[in-house]
Amino acid sequence: MTSITSAPASPSAVASDNTSPSFWARFAWLHVPVVSAVALAIGFTLEKLGLPQWLWLIAYGVCFVVAGWHPIIEGGRQLLRVRLDIDFLMIVAALGAAAIGEVAEGGLLLVLFAIGHALEDHAMGQARNAIAALGKIAPRTARLRRDGIDREVPVEELAVGDLVVVRPGERLPADGSVTEGESDVDQSPITGDSAPVAKQPGDQVFAGTLNGDGGLLVGVRKLASESTMARMARLVAEAEGQKAPTQRLAEKFTRVYVPAVVVATIAVAIVPPRLGWLTTHEALLRAMTLLVGASPCALALSTPAAILAAVARAARQGVLIKGGAHLERLGTVRALAMDKTGTITTGKPSVTDVVVFANSSESEVLELAASVEALSTHPLAKAVVDAAKKRSIEPLLATAPEQRQGKGIAARVGSRRVTLGSARAFDGVHAPKATAAVLAEAAKLEDQARTVIVVAADNAFVGMLGLLDRPRPEAKEAFVALRSLGIRCVAMLTGDNKRVAEAIGREVGVDQIDAELMPERKIELVRALMRKYGAVAMVGDGVNDAPAMATADVGIAMGAGGTDVALEAADVALMNDDLRKLAFAIGLSHAARRIIYQNVSIAMGVVLLLIVLASLGKVPMPIAVIMHEGSTVVVVLNALRLLRYKTS
């Protein structure tokens, strides 16, 4: 068989594009402001030198066309929709200044507007690049192994079931599972893990993650277009278009405000000359200055810039926030409802106790239990099957399964009707009534935080299994961090036994424990938390807890790496199993909301100041333009601070 690491890594197998853009390409965002500024400087110089008017008007014309082309197109497009936007205001102000003989003033306005736009676009581009980078990490080619021969193929040609070779230091080309080899894999681009994760046969791996020192043979589980990395990139990019409540409010305000500015500008241009307060020239110049100062550019960018930066930052840390509305809402959460299995606990239970009744044996108890549980995909069922196989006990064929929600499962194994469930499920109606001895044994295990599965064959109790699902080691620390962020209640909602839930709850320090719940009861409890605390987030696995997650203000999927349902259903998905990411996500939301409020305050503060100064004639147009564009750049740069957000 060909060795996994038989040859050095091929450059084409690693996802990197080493071609550097040219100087002009790197600074393309400066072309418009530089060319228009040069034309303005030439025109101003020619005018001051007393050269023919047509000569310096040509230079000014170049400035107006180059700097004003984009605002004219955008403003005209909005005007056709009977909307007045910021580009329209700028063009009117510049042309108005030129019409009253202040051509240099109008050109300066457009140049400064172009510079401001260029700086905004460049700064916003940093956030967009952080998102776009997600989709560029995965390799473009893969080393496909087929019939013992390795050959490089485009990742788009990989099919589910193919085997790919990943050499040391290469990025993985596809989502799949390790079939051969062991290595540490840096999967921080997806999960945000701070350290590489050990991988061995059977473990899941993701496209775009970086292999360590060992060679791996990986079985492909997803097409390149459906990899977790590709889906994350799409969902995060789509999040930019999902507007936050603050942004929608700002847009509604702008739709009323901009026409009001136009009316006020006309009034300033007409009324003072009619009353003899100002000359027509002074009034028009003051009106153009007011038009510039009152333009709400900074307000329009204050929210989307912060949302874009926060969503990009969260994705880099393995937290997928699917839109500005969810980001803002997350910051209002005051209570968390959390599933137990797989959320507060690791979701990897193991059989620790086998109790035998009557004339049965441990082997018989495990064999019967594993035969029935082989029909289920629940983590507890998998643990029972794994425990049997570790003892070389192969499950028998089970037929006629009967799944009773919240009550267990029954099936026919050979000639016997085998029923599994908690002790309370054996009520004498759907299953034999639990005896005092069965209840006593179950209570002993439950007091030790064991989940109990009682096994009955026909009407006789065969035995019971005790399974232990340990709390996540970081759970207690995470809940302390959450409380410091204003979370007033962490409630555990579980279908598990009350004694088990209380033992786990005491260990991790939750505030409220509700156990032995049916799915519909979880919904009722989420609503009760909402009535008591206000906004509530439901944290679960994205499948069994989907109804409760949909009911809550924010649905958060835990451990969503590679889980299609969680990625699609949740408002927020944590791409690894670290509960501390909850505190990161909520803290980031708080920071984003603070920056949005700061930006709105800066934007409206500068606008109000300029309106007053421009109306009184206390600020010349160039200064008004500088203050206006300066405030716009400030709010974008302030928002970009979120790209470096860290929990304290």
Side-chain angles (χ1 to χ4, degrees), residues 257 261 290 293-294 606-616:
Y257 174 78
V261 169
L290 173 63
V606 172
V607 164
L608 292 174
L609 177 63
L610 286 175
I611 287 174
V612 172
L613 294 178
S615 300
L616 297 174

Side-chain angles (χ1 to χ4, degrees), residues 8-82:
S10 167
S12 60
V14 182
S16 69
D17 186 357
N18 294 321
T19 58
S20 299
S22 67
F23 174 84
W24 292 109
R26 287 203 309 273
F27 294 98
W29 59 282
L30 283 175
H31 290 177
V32 169
V34 168
V35 171
S36 58
V38 170
L40 176 66
I42 291 173
F44 183 77
T45 302
L46 294 177
E47 182 182 8
K48 292 303 178 184
L49 291 175
L51 295 177
Q53 185 182 41
W54 66 267
L55 195 58
W56 48 264
L57 280 180
I58 290 176
Y60 282 142
V62 171
C63 170
F64 271 66
V65 170
V66 173
W69 183 256
H70 178 74
I72 288 173
I73 297 298
E74 288 302 314
R77 189 175 295 163
Q78 293 300 320
L79 197 58
L80 290 175
R81 299 177 185 174
V82 197

Side-chain angles (χ1 to χ4, degrees), residues 42 126 137 154 201 217 226 272 278 303 324 339 377 491 521 598:
I42 291 173
Q126 294 183 41
I137 293 176
L217 188 64
E226 292 303 314
L278 297 171
T303 299
D339 179 41
T377 58
R521 179 60 179 150
Q598 290 169 7

Side-chain angles (χ1 to χ4, degrees), residues 171-172 184-197 199 206 208-212:
R171 290 195 180 274
L172 280 79
D184 291 337
V185 175
D186 177 5
Q187 53 188 34
S188 57
I190 287 182
T191 64
D193 287 309
S194 58
V197 179
K199 300 291 183 180
F206 306 107
T209 55
L210 183 64
N211 188 25

Side-chain angles (χ1 to χ4, degrees), residues 519-533:
E520 57 269 22
R521 179 60 179 150
K522 286 188 178 182
I523 296 175
E524 293 173 8
L525 288 169
V526 167
R527 287 175 177 157
L529 288 170
M530 293 168 74
R531 287 192 295 270
K532 184 175 181 179
Y533 295 103

Side-chain angles (χ1 to χ4, degrees), residues 9 21 41 43 50 108 163-164 217-218 222 231 269 301 354 365 377 426 444 456 466 474 492 513 579 599 615 647:
L108 180 61
L163 294 176
V164 293
L217 188 64
V218 175
K222 291 183 182 178
R231 292 162 68 85
L301 284 171
V354 181
V365 173
T377 58
F426 291 83
K444 286 181 185 177
E474 77 283 359
M492 177 197 290
I513 300 169
L579 280 172
N599 282 353
S615 300
T647 51

Side-chain angles (χ1 to χ4, degrees), residues 159-462:
V160 175
D162 281 344
L163 294 176
V164 293
V165 176
V166 185
R167 293 173 178 169
E170 292 183 343
R171 290 195 180 274
L172 280 79
D175 281 15
S177 59
V178 177
T179 61
E180 182 183 327
E182 295 183 1
S183 185
D184 291 337
V185 175
D186 177 5
Q187 53 188 34
S188 57
I190 287 182
T191 64
D193 287 309
S194 58
V197 179
K199 300 291 183 180
Q200 57 187 3
D203 288 343
Q204 187 177 25
V205 290
F206 306 107
T209 55
L210 183 64
N211 188 25
D213 295 333
L216 297 175
L217 188 64
V218 175
V220 177
R221 287 188 176 179
K222 291 183 182 178
L223 300 178
S225 60
E226 292 303 314
S227 70
T228 302
M229 179 69 75
R231 292 162 68 85
M232 277 182 66
R234 283 200 301 271
L235 290 169
V236 174
E238 290 168 4
E240 183 184 353
Q242 297 175 10
K243 297 174 182 177
T246 305
Q247 184 178 354
R248 288 196 293 268
L249 183 62
E251 288 178 352
K252 288 180 181 178
F253 171 76
T254 303
R255 281 197 290 270
V256 176
Y257 174 78
V258 172
V261 169
V262 174
V263 171
T265 301
I266 294 172
V268 169
I270 295 175
V271 174
R274 290 289 181 89
L275 298 177
W277 295 346
L278 297 171
T279 66
T280 300
H281 182 277
E282 289 173 332
L284 285 172
L285 188 59
R286 191 172 295 187
M288 294 305 103
T289 305
L290 173 63
L291 196 60
V292 172
S295 179
C297 289
L299 179 64
L301 284 171
S302 59
T303 299
I307 296 297
L308 181 62
V311 168
R313 176 58 180 160
R316 287 288 188 176
Q317 289 296 307
V319 179
L320 181 60
I321 301 176
K322 294 162 64 173
H326 307 311
L327 176 69
E328 278 204 42
R329 203 175 296 123
L330 193 60
T332 67
V333 166
R334 292 295 173 265
L336 289 177
M338 303 186 69
D339 179 41
K340 179 180 75 69
T341 304
T343 302
I344 291 177
T345 63
T346 62
K348 297 177 181 178
S350 58
V351 175
T352 56
D353 304 88
V354 181
V355 177
V356 176
F357 296 144
N359 297 320
S360 304
S361 64
E362 289 191 4
S363 296
E364 182 185 9
V365 173
L366 278 170
E367 183 181 61
L368 292 174
S371 300
V372 177
E373 294 287 29
L375 301 171
S376 173
T377 58
H378 194 279
L380 293 176
K382 184 178 183 301
V384 172
V385 174
D386 289 345
K389 288 182 176 179
K390 284 180 182 177
R391 301 195 188 192
S392 301
I393 299 171
E394 284 298 321
L396 302 174
L397 178 64
T399 59
E402 179 189 343
Q403 183 78 48
R404 292 178 294 131
Q405 194 176 48
K407 294 289 186 180
I409 185 172
R412 185 161 294 281
V413 180
S415 61
R416 307 167 80 181
R417 185 67 173 172
V418 179
T419 305
L420 309 182
S422 62
R424 62 189 168 88
F426 291 83
D427 53 10
V429 179
H430 301 288
K433 188 170 181 62
T435 64
V438 169
L439 294 173
E441 287 293 337
K444 286 181 185 177
L445 292 175
E446 288 163 356
D447 286 339
Q448 300 171 53
R450 266 54 168 180
T451 298
V452 175
I453 297 177
V454 179
V455 184
D458 296 325
N459 289 316
F461 289 98
V462 178

